Amino acid sequence: MTQEIEIEVADGVQVIRFLRADKKNAFTGPMYNAMGEALDAADRSDAIAVTVFIGSGGVFSAGNDINDFLRRAAAASSGDGKGIPAPSLDFIRRLPKVTKPMIAAVDGLAIGVGTTMLLHCDLVYATPAASLRTPFLDLGLIQEAGSTITAPARMGYPRAFEMICLGEPFSAERALQAGLINAIVPADQLEATAMQAAGRLAAKPREALMTSRRLLRRNAEHIGAMIEEEASNYIKLMASPEAREAFTAFLEKRPPDFAKARAKNG
């Protein structure tokens, strides 16, 4: 367990709370491990019916920790690493396999996996300040967490392309229109709204709830296969000239020049 994650269980509801607000709740390896273990525990436990993800400090999650991300990029570029460490990929692999409902309460930023994990949640509530972004292509990379399938299935191809390929941020209102979230609620009511929904689900007949969810989703195997394909391409792209240019530009605090990077390696 890590101090950057708080996990509590009461009345059939497991709450996973991100406590790294000073780093915009960016996920580290230990945080991924803790979340994955908690999801596994929920699936095994008769005492847990629902899992709720909640951020802190006015932020849901900025996605991968940038320092960890840059270390992975350097390892991929040098050929010394596989690009995606086991904790993040293991967590992503678990998401389509979860058998019990997941709810997210989103305030502020939800970036990268902070957005793509929402596509595996059954209910998502957000504040007016929520902002969902998937800037993978701007880093010379591609989407992950099976969002190649889940995003167009949830929001339609045009809006999925806009979010993933154009990198357009989605406000809470736009996310609601796109079907990414269920409702917009005031910040001071966000947690209570998510917990009320979780409590209602936890009170329902457990076997019927899990069966209904399974029948509604039905595509876990297909999403799992896409996660592996995405990960394979993601790893390759981390060593690409354009990805190296994106990471270098980030460190040098300048706009990336992808045309120059392509010409240099052309």
Side-chain angles (χ1 to χ4, degrees):
M1 192 59 63
T2 171
Q3 294 182 345
E4 297 166 339
I5 289 273
E6 179 182 80
I7 299 173
E8 297 179 324
V9 178
D11 301 323
V13 179
Q14 173 174 249
V15 176
I16 300 178
R17 194 183 304 273
F18 314 140
L19 298 178
R20 204 172 179 234
D22 59 322
K23 299 295 183 181
K24 298 181 181 178
N25 295 324
F27 296 147
T28 62
M31 291 173 76
Y32 280 119
N33 285 334
M35 288 190 288
E37 289 167 7
L39 291 177
D40 280 352
D43 274 355
R44 293 192 304 265
S45 174
D46 290 336
I48 300 173
V50 186
T51 293
V52 180
F53 296 100
I54 304 175
S56 62
V59 176
F60 184 67
S61 174
N64 283 304
D65 178 85
I66 191 63
N67 291 319
D68 179 65
F69 192 82
L70 291 171
R71 282 193 297 271
R72 287 185 281 143
S77 297
S78 67
D80 292 335
K82 292 184 177 180
I84 299 180
S88 59
L89 186 52
D90 282 350
F91 171 70
I92 286 170
R93 283 171 170 155
R94 278 181 172 96
L95 291 174
K97 299 176 183 177
V98 171
T99 63
K100 295 178 181 177
M102 295 184 289
I103 298 174
V106 180
D107 187 20
L109 294 176
I111 299 177
V113 71
T115 286
T116 57
M117 68 181 288
L118 301 179
L119 296 166
H120 294 271
C121 291
D122 303 283
L123 295 169
V124 180
Y125 301 102
T127 70
S131 179
L132 283 62
R133 292 181 55 212
T134 57
F136 301 110
L137 267 71
D138 293 336
L139 295 171
L141 302 172
I142 65 161
Q143 61 275 20
E144 32 76 308
S147 54
T148 301
I149 294 173
T150 56
R154 180 76 66 91
M155 57 199 296
Y157 178 84
R159 284 179 291 201
F161 188 91
E162 183 180 357
M163 171 178 272
I164 291 172
C165 294
L166 190 60
E168 190 70 16
F170 274 50
S171 66
E173 188 61 42
R174 186 76 198 284
L176 181 64
Q177 293 170 359
L180 282 167
I181 65 175
N182 293 81
I184 301 172
V185 299
D188 62 356
Q189 298 175 28
L190 177 65
E191 184 168 338
T193 300
M195 293 302 292
Q196 182 181 40
R200 289 178 61 191
L201 289 173
K204 293 184 182 295
R206 187 71 49 84
E207 197 63 32
L209 173 63
M210 293 171 62
T211 301
S212 182
R213 182 183 187 272
R214 176 176 57 80
L215 292 173
L216 282 167
R217 301 182 77 89
R218 291 198 74 89
N219 57 352
E221 187 174 335
H222 191 195
I223 293 173
M226 182 54 68
I227 285 173
E228 299 306 321
E229 185 173 348
E230 288 171 348
S232 176
N233 283 281
Y234 192 105
I235 291 165
K236 289 179 185 176
L237 287 168
M238 286 191 83
S240 71
E242 290 172 313
R244 288 199 300 270
E245 167 61 14
F247 305 140
T248 301
F250 177 86
L251 291 172
E252 296 177 354
K253 298 181 179 179
R254 61 170 174 80
D257 187 341
F258 295 122
K260 183 178 179 181
R262 287 193 299 271
K264 189 183 297 183
N265 290 269

